[in-house]
Amino acid sequence: MASRVARSAIKRKAADNAHTATSTTTGEQQTRPQKRSKVESKMKPESSSTLQKPDEPLRITEGTGDIFDATPNTLIIHACNCQGSWGAGIAKAFKDRYPKAYMQYVYHCKKNDEDKLFGTAQMIPPVDASADEDEDEGFAEHSPDQQASNVPKHFVGCLYTSRHHGRKKDKPAQILAKTKPAMEDLLKRVQAWNAKADAGNKVGEVRMCKINSGLFAVPWEKTKQLLESIDVGDFDVKVIKVVSPPG
Ligand SMILES: Nc1ncnc2c1ncn2[C@@H]1O[C@H](COP(=O)(O)OP(=O)(O)OC[C@H]2O[C@H](OP(=O)(O)O)[C@H](O)[C@@H]2O)[C@@H](O)[C@H]1O
């Protein structure tokens, strides 16, 4: 079973790599990966005064509740490091709830250099709704006799907004500089997925926690402002619902 997961991940990796190489928003990322990190260490994110208001801005709505209590086909997004660790904060809750998605995240981090991942995204199709990995494109048949059968069929969205975690996490300015391209990358991936998926397998609602605002220590309002500067004119996803625990 594990080898099937690995084979499935390898197939996906080829597609992911091709996409990652072409979907980052700066040409510099594609041609000068070694020099980029030095340049970026001095880079400041767009300030609120320089943020351009797009024709059709991404809408961020906010509410309280259990982010995981979502209908099937919901995409649930969180911020990730590039080291393959979902060890704390909401990432730990993702790891507990979606262990197979976690394996795909780890695989993606092992196979890709952190500088290549930084500022990109990974969209993991539902893989935790069943123990049967023999499906195409990561989708699973519901199997009532399996332990994982009560896990809803959710997509997991990983935004690679920091190369490291803990004390080695990137500075808030660097995290912010990578948050917008990472989200744009994710929206492109959703668009590509939905263009090919059957009606019942398309991404539905899109949910997110207040990314970057906990262990990554970036004030939420700064992240929110950047996300609202994304133009969603070309995307199906127009709204992201931020769901926080009550209290
Ligand atoms: N169950 C829950 N339901 C809903 N919302 C929940 C929640 N639990 C916490 N929140 C909220 O979710 C927001 C983000 O806060 P977080 O600290 O989690 O994430 P972040 O984006 O700042 O940082 C990412 C790094 O944290 C991890 O830890 P490790 O690096 O592995 O150690 C990762 O792997 C990354 O590296 C804050 O509003 C929390 O109140």
Side-chain angles (χ1 to χ4, degrees):
M1 183 182 301
S3 64
R4 285 179 180 173
V5 171
R7 279 201 304 278
S8 177
I10 288 166
K11 274 194 281 178
R12 241 172 248 122
K13 176 187 171 294
D16 277 2
N17 281 346
H19 187 84
T20 301
T22 56
S23 65
T24 47
T25 55
T26 63
E28 187 179 41
Q29 281 183 310
Q30 295 168 35
T31 55
R32 297 166 57 195
Q34 293 307 317
K35 292 183 180 177
R36 178 164 44 90
S37 56
K38 285 183 187 168
V39 172
E40 282 165 2
S41 66
K42 295 174 187 166
M43 184 192 285
K44 287 198 165 62
E46 296 173 88
S47 70
S48 54
S49 57
T50 60
L51 282 176
Q52 293 193 344
K53 191 166 168 36
D55 291 340
E56 192 177 357
L58 176 64
R59 278 182 53 221
I60 305 290
T61 66
E62 297 187 46
T64 56
D66 178 356
I67 193 171
F68 300 112
D69 185 13
T71 55
N73 287 6
T74 296
L75 168 65
I76 309 181
I77 303 169
H78 68 136
C80 298
N81 61 72
C82 305
Q83 307 302 314
S85 167
W86 286 356
I90 198 167
K92 176 70 165 56
F94 274 86
K95 181 179 175 181
D96 293 343
R97 190 168 292 255
Y98 310 113
K100 293 178 191 168
Y102 171 67
M103 285 170 62
Q104 295 202 10
Y105 157 73
V106 171
Y107 184 85
H108 196 62
C109 291
K110 280 194 192 309
K111 292 294 174 186
N112 293 285
D113 183 81
E114 64 186 34
D115 283 328
K116 186 176 168 193
L117 290 178
F118 195 27
T120 69
Q122 181 183 9
M123 190 187 83
I124 305 172
V127 283
D128 283 280
S130 164
D132 178 8
E133 293 93 19
D134 218 8
E135 75 292 345
D136 285 338
E137 304 293 349
F139 279 112
E141 293 298 319
H142 189 71
S143 54
D145 56 343
Q146 299 291 345
Q147 190 187 0
S149 63
N150 59 347
V151 177
K153 183 177 144 184
H154 293 153
F155 294 79
V156 174
C158 306
L159 301 176
Y160 291 101
T161 62
S162 172
R163 281 165 289 200
H164 287 271
H165 57 114
R167 276 189 283 177
K168 287 177 74 183
K169 67 179 179 287
D170 282 289
K171 301 258 183 305
Q174 293 170 299
I175 291 173
L176 283 170
K178 292 302 183 185
T179 294
K180 185 173 171 181
M183 180 61 85
E184 288 172 335
D185 188 25
L186 184 61
L187 297 182
K188 284 178 195 164
R189 289 171 187 275
V190 173
Q191 197 71 16
W193 176 275
N194 280 354
K196 289 186 181 171
D198 298 338
N201 290 329
K202 292 182 192 294
V203 171
E205 186 186 348
V206 181
R207 290 183 165 209
M208 188 175 71
C209 63
K210 289 181 177 174
I211 55 163
N212 303 333
S213 71
L215 293 161
F216 280 170
V218 178
W220 164 241
E221 287 304 320
K222 292 195 174 181
T223 295
K224 187 181 175 190
Q225 271 188 343
L226 273 176
L227 296 176
E228 288 174 331
S229 74
I230 292 174
D231 193 334
V232 291
D234 292 335
F235 298 131
D236 289 340
V237 175
K238 308 291 185 191
V239 182
I240 294 179
K241 184 174 180 181
V242 171
V243 182
S244 304

